[in-house]
Each structure stands twice: as structure tokens, then as C-alpha cells.
């Protein structure tokens, strides 16, 4: 407990120093993304720290959360729905029906070569029928004003609704992945989750009818006021003057503080639920399965089923974080879902914070995100100091200044090595 309080106090001190030196706007931006990162780390910790599941498809569930923000908050495109929306939905239902029919057919047919040939013929015919219906609908939808829309849009609901919906969407994908991949060895599970995450990203990038693909969906609605609206509010202008701030600075800080309050509230709720789960008989059972699957199975525990449960829960938390991040960004940009940011970095957060400790994961999320943001400007400053005595045309000076861009990767690796060497169980080890 004392160690945790000291480490959290040091993290608060880092943010305080950043605010005093870099400005409070920068600090609040770090805090907001740090809170989202902490939620992602909490979700991964549920899977790895509770059950030992090695999921490296984090970015796929983050992307599904971002997709939920679009499908929830964007108004429907009436012209696209009129042109081919009903046919497109029908095509998706047809595809699901073809898959269900294939499963039913395989269960009913007597096993043998004939059954395989019949199933193959059924799937080939179903595929061509599905593509005929689906491709025609997609072509019509994407032809509707492609520069501005070219997709079906969403439900036009408040964007806060997308946060739990992002969790539901990610949980549904986790159920499908878990039913097919859980029970495999940990390395095979990692490969499966990575591959499926890449498939999800590829679909988001290439299916314009869904969320405009790489053309992005910008201008998502906010759950907090816009700065320009605050700047036109006489009461707010009076408060800003009383604070000794100009309207632009005060409105920016107010909006970021409002986001921080929302994100912190979600984090606190999820952290309380995670702690309750950890202290419950279910949590103790999950840790027993993690430590010795063979012994747990011998005691009558359904290991695969429990793994599926915790895999779905952890993925749902990551999906919520993905919807929150897209809300903060105000746009969905599938091209930014890179493994380095949403897989490697989140795993570093969990390992550095302390695998199996929920508070450690939150601390790791905040600390690693702070380092991720601050290391690059600090690296540039360091290289300027080192090369200050060198001539302008020196090849070494140019090389060192160019190398400052790689300080992030160097720092992440160095931090990970130091923690694994001197505190292998993380800054806040599991108790």
C-alpha cells in the first residue's frame, strides 16, 4: 500500500512538473490519453494477469470500439439507405444464414467424401450468391456523394452511448475468436489474435460503406461543449476573466478537464469492478487456472469456458477504451491503428505496472504514456545540448539530431529492460 501511494504521488508530481514547464493544455492532453491507456492496460491485465491469456490483437478491439463511435453517433445517410441500404443489410443476413446452413448441413450429413463434396458445392454456390447481392448493394451505397459520405452512416445517438456499445462489439468479436482459438497453446492463440486483429483493420480500411475506409469519418459529435461555444457565452467569459485567463485558453482547459472527468469516472468504475472480480471466488479460481491448468481441470473446472469468459471481459474493456479514444480524437482514422501503439505499448504498460495488479496496470498506463509523449521533445533537447559544441556541417551532429526521433523506441526498450531486471514483477507486483 505504501509503495503504491509513493509511486502514484511521483506520477502526480511528474504531471505537475509537466504542467509548470510545458503548459497545462499539454498536461491535460497527456492525462486524457493516459486515462484511456490505463483502461486499455486494465483490459489486457484481466486477460493476462488473471488468466495468462496472451492476446496480441489489442488494436483490433480498439478499432471495433472506434467503429462503434461512428455507428452510434453519426446521423444516417438517407440517400445511401434508399440506394442500397436494405439490400446491403439483407446481404449480410444472407451471409450469416449461409454459414449457419453450412454448419447445420455438416451436422446432418453422414460423414464421408460425399458429405465433403456436397458441403463444398453448397459453400461455393452460397459464396457467389452472397457476393452478387452484397457487391451490388455496396456499389450503390458508395456511389452516393463519395467525397462527403459514401457510407450508410450511423444511428444519430449521443456519442456516450457508443462507449458501452464499443464494449459489446468487442465482446462479440472476442466470443467468435475465443470459440475458435481458445484451447490452443499460448503461442498459437497469440498468432490467431494478431491475425484476426489485422483482418478487422483491413475491413475498416477497405469497406467504405461501413465507415468510409481510409477517407476517415471526421467531425464526430462531442459529449462536452465546443470551445467556440464557450467563447461566445458571456457567463463563461466573465469566469475566464475572473480566473485571469483569456477566453481561448480557458475554453481549451475547460473542455479537456471535462473529458478528463468523464474518462476518470469510467476508469474508477472499471477499476472497482475489476478489484471486486479479483477478490471474488471467480477471481481466485481464474488465478488458480492461470497458475496450474492441469490441477484446475482435475478439480472439475472448465478451463476453456473460464478462459472464454475472461477473454470476453478483457476485450470489452479494451473496446470501451477504443470508443473513448475515437470520441476524444473526434474522428475515426483506421490508418492510425498500428501494432506499435496499441499492442506493444499496452503490453509494456501492463508489464511495467505489474501484471496481475489492477492498480499497477493503471499506473503503468499513465507512466508509459507520459514517457511516450515527453521522450521525443526531451530527446531533441538532449541532442541539442550534446551537439551544441559541434560545427554546423558536422556529420556526427546531423546523425545525432536525426537519431532523436528514435528516442521513443529506445526509451521504451530501456524502461522495459530496467523493470524486468530490478523489479521483474512490475512496479506494483501482484499480491
Amino acid at each position: 500500500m505504501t509503495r503504491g501511494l509513493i509511486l502514484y504521488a511521483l506520477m502526480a508530481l511528474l504531471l505537475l512538473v509537466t504542467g509548470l514547464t510545458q503548459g497545462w493544455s499539454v498536461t491535460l492532453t497527456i492525462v486524457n490519453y493516459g486515462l484511456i491507456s490505463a483502461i486499455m492496460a486494465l483490459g489486457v491485465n484481466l486477460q493476462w494477469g488473471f488468466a495468462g491469456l496472451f492476446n496480441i490483437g489489442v488494436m483490433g478491439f480498439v478499432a471495433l470500439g472506434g467503429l462503434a463511435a461512428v455507428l452510434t453517433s453519426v446521423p444516417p445517410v438517407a440517400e445511401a439507405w434508399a440506394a442500397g441500404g436494405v439490400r446491403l443489410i439483407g446481404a449480410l443476413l444472407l451471409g450469416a444464414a449461409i454459414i449457419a446452413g453450412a454448419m447445420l448441413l455438416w451436422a446432418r450429413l453422414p460423414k464421408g467424401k460425399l458429405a465433403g463434396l456436397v458441403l463444398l458445392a453448397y459453400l461455393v454456390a452460397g459464396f457467389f450468391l452472397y457476393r452478387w447481392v452484397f457487391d451490388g448493394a455496396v456499389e450503390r451505397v458508395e456511389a452516393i456523394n463519395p467525397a462527403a459520405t459514401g457510407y450508410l452512416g450511423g444511428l444519430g445517438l449521443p456519442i456516450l452511448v457508443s462507449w458501452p456499445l464499443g464494449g459489446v462489439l468487442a465482446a462479440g468479436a472476442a466470443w467468435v475468436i475465443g470459440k475458435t482459438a481458445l484451447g490452443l497453446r499460448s503461442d498459437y492463440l497469440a498468432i490467431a489474435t494478431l491475425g484476426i486483429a489485422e483482418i478487422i483493420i483491413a475491413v475498416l480500411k477497405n469497406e467504405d460503406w461501413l465507415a468510409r475506409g481510409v477517407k476517415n469519418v471526421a467531425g464526430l459529435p462531442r459529449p462536452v461543449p465546443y470551445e467556440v461555444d464557450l467563447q461566445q457565452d458571456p457567463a463563461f467569459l466573465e469566469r475566464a476573466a475572473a480566473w485571469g485567463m483569456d477566453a481561448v485558453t480557458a475554453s481549451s482547459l475547460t473542455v479537456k478537464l471535462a473529458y478528463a472527468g468523464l474518462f476518470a469516472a469510467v476508469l474508477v468504475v472499471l477499476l472497482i469492478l475489476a478489484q471486486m472480480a479479483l477478490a471474488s471466488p471467480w477471481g481466485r479460481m481464474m488465478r488458480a487456472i492461470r497458475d496450474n491448468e492441469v490441477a484446475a481441470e482435475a478439480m472439475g473446472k472448465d478451463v476453456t469456458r473460464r478462459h472464454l469468459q475472461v477473454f470476453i471481459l478483457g476485450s470489452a474493456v479494451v473496446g470501451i477504451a477504443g470508443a473513448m479514444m475515437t470520441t476524444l480524437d473526434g474522428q475515426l482514422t483506421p490508418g492510425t491503428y498500428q501494432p506499435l501503439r496499441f499492442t506493444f505499448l499496452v503490453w509494456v504498460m501492463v508489464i511495467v505496472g505489474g501484471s496481475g495488479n489492477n492498480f499497477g496496470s493503471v499506473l503503468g498506463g499513465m507512466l508509459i504514456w507520459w514517457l511516450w509523449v515527453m521522450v521525443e521533445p526531451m530527446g531533441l533537447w538532449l541532442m541539442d545540448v550534446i551537439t551544441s559544441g559541434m560545427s554546423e556541417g558536422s556529420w556526427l551532429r546531423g546523425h545525432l539530431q536525426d537519431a532523436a526521433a528514435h528516442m521513443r523506441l529506445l526509451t521504451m526498450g530501456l524502461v522495459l529492460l530496467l523493470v524486468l531486471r530490478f523489479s521483474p514483477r512490475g512496479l506494483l507486483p501482484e499480491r
Side-chain angles (χ1 to χ4, degrees):
M1 179 64 73
T2 304
R3 180 176 182 177
L5 291 175
I6 292 173
L7 289 173
Y8 270 96
L10 290 175
M11 185 69 241
L13 181 61
L14 279 178
L15 294 172
L16 177 63
V17 171
T18 304
L20 294 174
T21 56
Q22 302 291 324
W24 294 108
S25 181
V26 173
T27 304
L28 285 175
T29 300
I30 294 174
V31 168
N32 284 328
Y33 281 104
L35 290 170
I36 295 172
S37 299
I39 294 174
M40 291 185 192
L42 190 62
V44 173
N45 185 57
L46 286 174
Q47 297 172 340
W48 174 252
F50 278 37
L53 296 179
F54 190 30
N55 172 22
I56 56 173
V58 176
M59 66 174 180
F61 300 109
V62 173
L64 287 173
L67 176 63
V70 173
L71 297 181
T72 301
S73 64
V74 174
V77 181
E79 298 86 350
W81 276 101
V86 175
R87 178 175 173 177
L88 199 153
I89 298 300
L92 296 176
L93 293 175
L94 175 63
I98 290 171
I99 294 173
M103 296 171 63
L104 183 62
L105 188 63
W106 180 252
R108 293 288 181 87
L109 287 173
K111 300 300 181 286
K113 288 186 178 180
L114 181 60
L117 291 174
V118 171
L119 182 63
L120 179 62
Y122 170 83
L123 288 174
V124 170
F127 173 78
F128 281 106
L129 175 61
Y130 165 75
R131 293 302 304 190
W132 176 74
V133 178
F134 179 77
D135 290 346
V138 167
E139 185 177 352
R140 294 180 185 182
V141 169
E142 294 181 353
I144 302 299
N145 191 13
T149 55
Y151 72 128
L152 294 175
L155 300 176
L157 299 174
I159 198 165
L160 284 178
V161 178
S162 71
W163 296 5
L165 182 61
V168 171
L169 204 59
W175 182 84
V176 174
I177 296 169
K179 293 296 284 186
T180 56
L182 287 178
L184 299 176
R185 230 170 52 195
S186 60
D187 48 354
Y188 293 134
L189 175 63
I191 294 169
T193 53
L194 177 61
I196 294 173
E198 290 295 337
I199 291 172
I200 293 171
I201 301 300
V203 169
L204 282 181
K205 287 181 178 178
N206 293 286
E207 299 296 335
D208 287 8
W209 62 270
L210 184 60
R212 302 200 71 218
V214 294
K215 291 183 286 187
N216 305 335
V217 179
L220 296 179
R222 284 180 170 184
V224 299
Y226 286 88
E227 289 87 348
V228 65
D229 294 334
L230 292 175
Q231 294 165 18
Q232 295 173 357
D233 183 1
F236 178 79
L237 294 177
E238 290 181 7
R239 289 196 299 270
W243 298 336
M245 296 182 184
D246 61 273
V248 175
T249 301
S251 62
S252 176
L253 293 179
T254 300
V255 169
K256 291 178 179 179
L257 278 171
Y259 272 122
L262 288 172
F263 298 157
V266 174
L267 175 60
V268 168
V269 170
L270 292 175
L271 184 57
I272 291 173
L273 293 175
Q275 283 295 104
M276 291 173 62
L278 183 64
S280 69
W282 180 85
R284 292 192 291 271
M285 177 188 63
M286 291 308 308
R287 285 188 288 182
I289 292 174
R290 176 199 64 189
D291 294 338
N292 194 326
E293 289 187 17
V294 176
E297 282 185 322
M299 295 296 292
K301 305 302 181 184
D302 190 340
V303 172
T304 302
R305 182 182 178 187
R306 300 306 178 186
H307 278 172
L308 180 61
Q309 289 177 350
V310 78
F311 187 68
I312 290 173
L313 289 174
S315 300
V317 173
V318 174
I320 292 171
M324 293 166 62
M325 187 178 66
T326 301
T327 302
L328 181 60
D329 291 340
Q331 61 181 358
L332 176 66
T333 52
T336 62
Y337 292 118
Q338 301 296 330
L340 177 63
R341 184 177 179 188
F342 297 113
T343 300
F344 169 74
L345 202 59
V346 174
W347 272 99
V348 172
M349 293 172 184
V350 174
I351 294 170
V352 169
S355 175
N357 189 320
N358 293 318
F359 288 99
S361 297
V362 172
L363 176 65
M366 295 296 297
L367 175 61
I368 295 301
W369 185 257
W370 181 87
L371 286 170
W372 183 257
V373 174
M374 296 303 298
V375 158
E376 187 168 354
M378 291 167 62
L380 288 171
W381 172 82
L382 179 62
M383 292 304 174
D384 286 340
V385 171
I386 293 174
T387 60
S388 59
M390 300 180 185
S391 62
E392 288 292 335
S394 171
W395 68 269
L396 181 58
R397 177 173 185 168
H399 174 74
L400 290 175
Q401 289 180 340
D402 291 340
H406 304 290
M407 287 294 291
R408 278 179 170 175
L409 303 180
L410 174 64
T411 304
M412 292 302 106
L414 184 61
V415 168
L416 188 58
L417 286 174
L418 289 174
V419 169
L420 290 176
R421 171 61 182 85
F422 296 103
S423 184
R425 298 176 61 202
L427 297 177
L428 290 177
E430 179 183 6
R431 290 178 294 179

